[in-house]
Amino acid sequence: MEVDELECLPRLPRVAVCGGTLGNELSGVYLVRELLKMEKKVTKEEEEDERVSVLMVLSNPRAMLQCRRYVDTDLNRCFTRATLNGPVSDVAPYEITRALELNRMLGPKGSPAVVDLVCDLHNTTANMGLCLIAYSDCDWICLHIFKHLQREMADVPIRFIHFDVSSKESYSLDSVGKHGFAMEIGPQPHGVVRSNVYTAMRVGVQNMLDWVRFFNSGTIFEGGFVEVFSMVKHIDYPRDRETRTITAAIHPQLQDRDFYLLHPGDPLFQTFSGETLPYKGKEPLYPFFINECAYYEKGIPLSLARKRRVMIPSIRVQTEQEQESYVQEFTSEEEE
């Protein structure tokens, strides 16, 4: 791809900002509540601004009321096409029912009527700064938003994480949109709001919405190289062979060092008897979600990624004629 290549992409008239998908990740809960209050105070001129319509969603109200990650099952794993299109019984877990409701509200997933961009707000207990997490490393909308946030929020460490999962198997709420990402910010304990973390999320969301308005208004965004962390694998804890209980914790020298290169032989775990267990991988990789509280139940003390440079093209919004051609092409692809 040439650096000066210009891609013309469809307008983004409908954006969803979602909080509380996991009910104890409180920055998103309180931010969406605040945005809903502000929505009631908009002026007539702002109301008539047709550049973007923003839908604020409190995704998992029952879990929010209980300040729990979920009630029956993890809502942020309920958005695969198999789950959304499968049969549902009267005794289905609450989050399955809620996923279907959200899919109807924002989707249906994969349809031409789906919302243009979903930004799902999350917190992590890991020392990750602000991360955008997406399923594509060639979604120019998401990558340009990432580039814009890096430029506008230079005092906050901002990274882009790519999970290489197909559209069919993508499982989180942000996968419902034509474009989508999770905005993950930490460290923050679950069930707690830290002002600095909340503020970073608020500023990040505002900058994201500003970018969408600029894009829809015809601004040309210059391309260039960005750094992307592509997830390679998860690592499990050392475990007792019989009981399967964990026998070690993250090593003190690794704790809080998300996105610092981990080399073979570096300390990885410290057993409860005091022994250091080294990283035995064959290549240096970048750890993230180190010691994330919510992932103990999933058996994931950390994930590992490769860092790559991805070249993104310059982009602008499509003309009406280009938009009509795109809609016809998108509809034909879905029918196939």
Side-chain angles (χ1 to χ4, degrees), residues 45-333:
E45 290 77 13
E46 291 171 323
E47 201 171 55
E48 291 173 352
D49 182 356
E50 296 180 354
R51 287 176 294 178
V52 61
S53 170
V54 183
L55 175 64
M56 269 74 78
V57 181
L58 290 168
S59 309
N60 195 337
R62 288 192 189 177
M64 287 164 43
L65 284 173
Q66 300 177 37
C67 197
R68 294 170 54 184
R69 183 175 175 86
Y70 54 79
V71 177
D72 295 320
T73 191
D74 191 334
L75 178 60
N76 216 33
R77 299 296 184 271
C78 292
F79 293 92
T80 63
R81 293 202 182 186
T83 300
L84 296 176
N85 298 326
V88 181
S89 70
D90 294 337
V91 294
Y94 165 70
E95 278 80 8
I96 297 292
T97 303
R98 183 58 178 159
L100 299 180
E101 293 173 355
L102 291 167
N103 188 49
R104 287 192 293 270
M105 181 190 304
L106 305 177
K109 183 175 180 176
S111 75
V114 72
V115 70
D116 298 284
L117 174 65
V118 176
C119 173
D120 192 24
L121 304 175
H122 289 269
N123 290 121
T124 174
T125 61
N127 187 30
M128 289 171 55
L130 190 159
C131 296
L132 302 190
I133 304 176
Y135 293 109
S136 173
D137 61 353
C138 57
D139 185 321
W140 308 139
I141 294 293
C142 295
L143 285 165
H144 267 282
I145 290 172
F146 164 61
K147 189 168 180 273
H148 179 72
L149 295 187
Q150 282 190 316
R151 181 173 59 251
E152 296 298 319
M153 302 173 66
D155 58 333
V156 177
I158 301 177
R159 302 175 179 92
F160 191 98
I161 301 173
H162 166 225
F163 282 13
D164 189 12
V165 178
S166 70
S167 173
K168 181 180 179 181
E169 296 299 324
S170 56
Y171 48 77
S172 53
L173 175 56
D174 54 275
S175 71
V176 173
K178 291 176 184 173
H179 309 274
F181 55 82
M183 182 180 290
E184 185 93 43
I185 308 184
Q188 177 173 285
H190 297 318
V192 169
V193 183
R194 290 181 55 175
S195 180
N196 62 319
V197 173
Y198 171 88
T199 299
M201 181 176 284
R202 178 179 56 79
V203 174
V205 168
Q206 186 58 60
N207 278 303
M208 178 271 294
L209 293 174
D210 287 344
W211 184 92
V212 173
R213 293 186 179 98
F214 294 147
F215 174 76
N216 286 345
S217 298
T219 300
I220 294 176
F221 291 93
E222 297 298 325
F225 287 95
V226 295
E227 289 184 346
V228 171
F229 290 87
S230 292
M231 204 274 285
V232 175
K233 61 181 177 179
H234 303 302
I235 288 183
D236 194 2
Y237 291 93
R239 294 181 181 273
D240 184 280
R241 291 183 179 179
E242 295 181 0
T243 65
R244 304 306 299 160
T245 56
I246 66 173
T247 57
I250 291 292
H251 196 280
Q253 293 181 29
L254 178 59
Q255 181 64 50
D256 298 327
R257 289 183 60 81
D258 297 77
F259 299 108
Y260 284 86
L261 198 59
L262 181 67
H263 294 86
D266 286 349
L268 181 58
F269 295 107
Q270 188 173 73
T271 68
F272 297 137
S273 61
E275 178 186 359
T276 293
L277 303 180
Y279 169 53
K280 296 182 179 179
K282 296 181 180 179
E283 62 175 313
L285 293 171
Y286 291 86
F288 63 101
F289 278 127
I290 295 175
N291 212 7
E292 161 58 45
C293 166
Y295 288 176
Y296 275 75
E297 69 176 38
K298 301 182 189 301
I300 302 175
L302 73 159
S303 300
L304 294 172
R306 293 189 187 95
K307 183 167 70 172
R308 301 181 298 117
R309 293 182 80 219
V310 174
M311 213 268 286
I312 61 176
S314 300
I315 64 170
R316 68 161 172 82
V317 71
Q318 290 177 344
T319 63
E320 289 186 12
Q321 186 176 2
E322 290 167 338
Q323 178 80 19
E324 289 175 4
S325 299
Y326 171 83
V327 170
Q328 293 174 359
E329 182 181 338
F330 182 87
T331 304
S332 299
E333 288 177 357

